[in-house]
Amino acid sequence: MSLRKKPKLAVYKFASCDGCQLSLLDCEDEILAVAGAIEIANFPEASRAVTSGPYDLTLVEGSITTPHDAERIHAIRRSSKVLVSIGACATSGGIQALRNFKDVNEFVSVVYARPDYIETLNKSTPISDHVWVDFELRGCPISKAQLLEVVNAFLNNRKPNISKESVCMECKMRGTPCVMVANKDPCLGPVTQAGCGAICPAYNRGCYSCFGPVASPNAGSLSHWWESKLGVDKDKLVRSYRGFNAGAEAFRQESEIHERG
Amino acid sequence: MGEAISNYAKRILPSTDLDRLLEALQQKGYTLVGPTVRENAIVLEEIEGAEDLPVGWTETQEAGSYKLSRNGSEEYFDFASGPHSFKKYLFPPRLKLWQAKRHRAGFKVEQENDQAPSYAFIGVRSCDLCAIEIQDKVFMGDSYVDPVYKERREKAFILAVNCTKPGNLCFCSSMDTGPKAKSGYDLAVTEQLKESEHVFLIQAGSEKGHELLEALELADADEGAVEFENKQLEDAATSMGRFLDTHKLPSVLKNNFEHPRWEQIADRCLSCANCTLVCPTCFCHTVEDTTDLTGDVAERWRQWDSCFTGDFTYFAGGSARASTKSRYRQWLTHKLSTWTDQFGTFGCVGCGRCIAWCPVGIDLTEEAAAIRATDLVSD
Ligand code: SF4
Ligand code: SF4
Ligand code: SF4
Ligand code: SF4
């Protein structure tokens, strides 16, 4: 064991399902090693004992959807040396960014008995729209191996080994015959960032893009292929880009192109 | 490619005896790797015997499309290249190179021992044989020898299959890499299904192969069978679905670095890297260093990479090839132009894999032809 001072870890939650932060607790085999290497200083899901900031590493889950949260994230940033946003909500606005394409007040009026109690923003936005983020860890949910890798890289003062390239690369490396080529199933893999290990194609399904767009996605070309060769209609195209990463800029644009017809 | 033609006698292996041959290989300690059906494609995997081969299956291929189908034939090798090539066994997608452990003030490196078995590659087509020959040059051709590749390669046994059924995306005739296996194999077979019989014409290409064949005590091939083989291979050579004009191709591509076609391909190309990963000659890889949480153990891993990724040319300040245009141009010109400067052959053997497995059906023969047709600097 090396003799270094244990860095302090904090975990915060915004609009989200908790799945991503729970991935940390889900690291059954590694959790003791994590707890040995880092002081879990503020992580309500794990322990009620809270040590005050500043924190060396802060993980932020969830998107910003209320005026209160839009303020809260600034305070968190101020008390964090390194801030990593985790999951599709925190990195692109999440599934709740579907509201971005509609009038949120209409939803509120239908869903809540007392709409006047609800204070919400009309858009769900990623953390990086509000504060500086040191690293964005993608995924819905995140991969626990990648989360460990980020924590690990932080502890060892190195760059995390997290690919920004396509799911196709993972798919080919595991030897899966491409479902788009062999089965004519639409797959978002070519425009989606790796990280999941290309699970869906390995189970004969097209990729749903849980990990959001690659660095320079050519969604236009992919959509054209789906329409012209795989018989995918406009509605399905719009829905495909409006998944967990609907708010990611490239997917927002592409879905709007097809919504306009 | 590969001028040598074997002088060993040709023999006849009845198709019902294929297992005898495969068993003989297993008895010599080889792990068989060959074509087999999995998830709507004919892939390469470890197999147990002839019953795992894709008898009765074939496929049709188009740009961006591969369709597996049953044809009810008794043939074992009635199909063209699939999504895998033998490179995944010689140059594995991900490989641990070494690990280091903290040791007093410094650290101690522990070399990784490659535990791969001796493979017998079953059903290697001529294009893939040439691809192996090309990767031999890359990984063991000069003073920097890749020890893992070398060991796996030297231990391997190659059972080639002369190609009598080229596919719609094949163009080995253009690349001079087939359809007949010329060298680099231990045994080569030609499958012959006639009304009255189903046999393999079989010939050794190495001492290893010869020894194995002698032990099977097979009958000599008669003239009829050899003539039929010649006809099969002539027919195959003229029934390639694709064609690539290689005349002065390296200089045509070099002269057209600023051709507008590159921009047009970039509109379609997804920069997804599929073409490079399915290509049996592409050898690019990256290394990744990992640590454990305590920082006491570090590991170095090697994994496949591609010129289509941003990290491939990333150095301080960004990627040298930031645009898809520059990445596609790198791929095509490496395969068909600069490879000749680097290694003395094309980096393409005409297997057609990159055409089938490109998710948007980009066809390098079409792109090269388009650039030649509107050559900006014709000489
Ligand atoms: S199945 Fe999807 S992820 Fe896999 S190679 Fe094909 S397009 Fe890419
Ligand atoms: S470039 Fe394409 S056709 Fe040529 S060897 Fe590679 S995969 Fe096969
Ligand atoms: S084409 Fe690209 S991936 Fe293939 S060997 Fe050349 S540089 Fe490497
Ligand atoms: S040519 Fe096709 S397979 Fe290759 S990177 Fe472009 S889209 Fe992907």
Side-chain angles (χ1 to χ4, degrees):
Chain A
M1 205 58 199
S2 49
L3 297 169
R4 59 185 172 205
K5 194 168 161 279
K6 272 197 198 178
K8 281 160 79 176
L9 173 80
V11 183
Y12 290 100
K13 171 187 160 62
F14 287 83
S16 58
C17 76
D18 274 28
C20 289
Q21 50 170 320
L22 290 179
S23 315
L24 193 58
L25 295 180
D26 195 27
C27 298
E28 285 147 13
D29 299 334
E30 302 87 356
I31 192 78
L32 288 177
V34 172
I38 207 161
E39 180 195 341
I40 299 178
N42 186 348
F43 186 8
E45 292 275 5
S47 161
R48 266 177 299 169
V50 171
T51 318
S52 61
Y55 305 107
D56 298 291
L57 174 63
T58 296
L59 304 176
V60 178
E61 174 195 273
S63 68
I64 304 297
T65 53
T66 66
H68 172 246
D69 280 354
E71 285 308 314
R72 187 161 67 98
I73 187 63
H74 286 278
I76 290 171
R77 174 71 266 192
R78 276 196 299 277
S79 65
S80 308
K81 286 188 189 149
V82 171
L83 188 151
V84 175
S85 55
I86 60 168
C89 302
T91 57
S92 76
I95 193 74
Q96 59 273 27
L98 286 175
R99 70 161 70 172
N100 301 8
F101 301 93
K102 297 276 190 286
D103 177 6
V104 78
N105 292 322
E106 234 173 88
F107 290 138
V108 171
S109 70
V110 176
V111 172
Y112 297 99
R114 291 290 306 269
D116 50 319
Y117 283 8
I118 304 297
E119 203 182 347
T120 188
L121 297 169
N122 60 1
K123 282 197 162 55
S124 166
T125 46
I127 302 302
S128 59
D129 275 13
H130 301 265
V131 296
W132 171 257
V133 169
D134 296 282
F135 191 82
E136 291 193 309
L137 185 63
R138 302 276 195 85
C140 183
I142 54 169
S143 126
K144 78 179 189 192
Q146 285 202 332
L147 177 63
L148 276 173
E149 170 59 16
V150 168
V151 172
N152 194 328
F154 165 79
L155 287 170
N156 289 293
N157 209 6
R158 62 174 172 82
K159 188 173 154 244
N161 294 312
I162 305 273
S163 169
K164 299 223 174 301
E165 306 304 334
S166 68
V167 171
C168 297
M169 291 189 76
E170 293 184 309
C171 196
K172 280 288 173 291
M173 283 197 241
R174 72 187 279 170
T176 304
C178 175
V179 301
M180 202 144 73
V181 169
N183 308 353
K184 302 226 173 310
D185 286 337
C187 178
L188 284 168
V191 295
T192 300
Q193 183 171 303
C196 62
I199 304 170
C200 287
Y203 289 92
N204 262 304
R205 303 292 303 260
C207 163
Y208 296 98
S209 201
C210 307
F211 282 62
V214 286
S216 42
N218 188 348
S221 170
L222 187 68
S223 302
H224 178 71
W225 186 264
W226 284 16
E227 277 190 293
S228 63
K229 302 283 180 170
L230 310 184
V232 172
D233 62 24
K234 294 272 181 211
D235 273 358
K236 160 108 193 190
L237 270 171
V238 175
R239 272 183 277 117
S240 299
Y241 291 107
R242 290 206 182 146
F244 321 107
N245 288 287
E249 188 53 18
F251 289 175
R252 179 193 66 75
Q253 279 182 23
E254 190 63 20
S255 73
E256 286 184 339
I257 287 170
H258 299 287
E259 195 169 42
R260 284 197 297 271
Chain B
M1 234 179 271
E3 294 74 32
I5 295 284
S6 162
N7 288 321
Y8 291 104
K10 290 185 180 173
R11 300 278 160 77
I12 294 288
L13 176 76
S15 65
T16 44
D17 278 2
L18 184 57
D19 259 331
R20 272 180 69 212
L21 171 63
L22 300 182
E23 277 161 22
L25 283 164
Q26 282 167 321
Q27 270 157 23
K28 287 211 174 291
Y30 289 107
T31 297
L32 307 178
V33 167
T36 192
V37 170
R38 175 162 70 85
E39 291 160 14
N40 291 336
I42 297 169
V43 299
L44 297 173
E45 258 169 20
E46 289 185 17
I47 57 171
E48 292 306 322
E51 76 278 6
D52 289 339
L53 294 170
V55 180
W57 291 96
T58 190
E59 96 295 314
T60 42
Q61 305 189 36
E62 305 284 340
S65 161
Y66 177 104
K67 215 165 151 208
L68 183 73
S69 61
R70 278 199 176 278
N71 66 355
S73 164
E74 287 162 38
E75 281 165 292
Y76 286 94
F77 299 102
D78 189 13
F79 52 86
S81 305
H84 295 176
S85 74
F86 293 94
K87 98 171 171 185
K88 70 172 183 164
Y89 291 99
L90 297 173
F91 165 46
R94 199 168 149 76
L95 184 74
K96 187 169 157 189
L97 299 177
W98 50 258
Q99 65 171 20
K101 286 194 176 138
R102 202 185 284 282
H103 185 69
R104 295 197 192 105
F107 58 88
K108 225 165 113 185
V109 174
E110 292 165 11
Q111 212 62 43
E112 198 59 19
N113 281 326
D114 187 39
Q115 304 288 349
S118 300
Y119 293 115
F121 296 144
I122 309 303
V124 185
R125 305 298 169 127
S126 182
C127 54
D128 283 352
L129 262 179
C130 292
I132 292 173
E133 213 176 290
I134 288 174
Q135 288 213 325
D136 285 353
K137 269 195 205 167
V138 173
F139 289 114
M140 9 188 253
D142 63 15
S143 41
Y144 302 103
V145 171
D146 182 310
V148 172
Y149 182 93
K150 183 164 186 277
E151 196 190 326
R152 290 177 176 223
R153 177 73 175 94
E154 284 172 353
K155 286 198 300 196
F157 186 98
I158 293 184
L159 175 73
V161 172
N162 286 311
C163 191
T164 53
K165 298 270 176 57
N168 184 35
L169 304 179
C170 292
F171 55 105
C172 66
S173 284
S174 304
M175 306 314 291
D176 191 24
T177 51
K180 182 173 169 49
K182 288 187 195 153
S183 67
Y185 56 83
D186 297 300
L187 285 173
V189 301
T190 306
E191 185 165 24
Q192 301 191 328
L193 179 67
K194 301 180 211 161
E195 256 165 45
S196 53
E197 55 173 9
H198 182 194
V199 298
F200 293 100
L201 211 67
I202 184 165
Q203 186 179 29
S206 74
E207 208 33 55
K208 248 196 303 190
H210 177 64
E211 236 173 68
L212 199 93
L213 200 53
E214 284 306 288
L216 294 180
E217 300 183 337
L218 300 173
D220 281 332
D222 56 50
E223 233 171 77
V226 176
E227 263 170 39
F228 186 61
E229 181 190 43
N230 288 338
K231 166 115 184 30
Q232 283 177 295
L233 292 170
E234 271 165 35
D235 287 349
T238 52
S239 54
M240 301 279 145
R242 287 292 190 278
F243 166 75
L244 182 69
D245 181 359
T246 56
H247 178 66
K248 288 192 181 170
L249 186 55
S251 53
V252 169
L253 292 175
K254 263 177 217 154
N255 289 341
N256 286 281
F257 221 60
E258 296 305 334
H259 198 287
R261 185 77 184 191
W262 300 120
E263 203 66 74
Q264 293 158 14
I265 309 170
D267 285 344
R268 295 170 58 206
C269 176
L270 310 170
S271 224
C272 64
N274 274 301
C275 47
T276 50
L277 303 186
V278 293
C279 179
T281 70
C282 275
F283 54 82
C284 287
H285 51 269
T286 181
V287 288
E288 218 173 71
D289 291 339
T290 65
T291 45
D292 73 345
L293 284 164
T294 60
D296 291 336
V297 184
E299 293 176 354
R300 175 158 291 182
W301 288 78
R302 179 181 88 183
Q303 65 182 39
W304 287 357
D305 199 3
S306 162
C307 52
F308 280 97
T309 72
D311 272 353
F312 192 79
T313 54
Y314 188 91
F315 45 95
S319 289
R321 293 190 203 103
S323 67
T324 297
K325 168 188 162 182
S326 61
R327 294 183 198 171
Y328 189 89
R329 187 174 57 193
Q330 160 63 20
W331 141 260
L332 196 77
T333 53
H334 194 207
K335 300 271 100 176
L336 302 176
S337 175
T338 52
W339 204 294
T340 59
D341 306 327
Q342 204 179 358
F343 300 111
T345 66
F346 285 111
C348 171
V349 296
C351 71
R353 286 187 179 89
C354 58
I355 309 173
W357 300 97
C358 169
V360 290
I362 294 176
D363 175 345
L364 86 168
T365 63
E366 191 184 317
E367 298 311 319
I371 286 171
R372 182 193 289 282
T374 47
D375 192 350
L376 299 179
V377 200
S378 52
D379 54 3

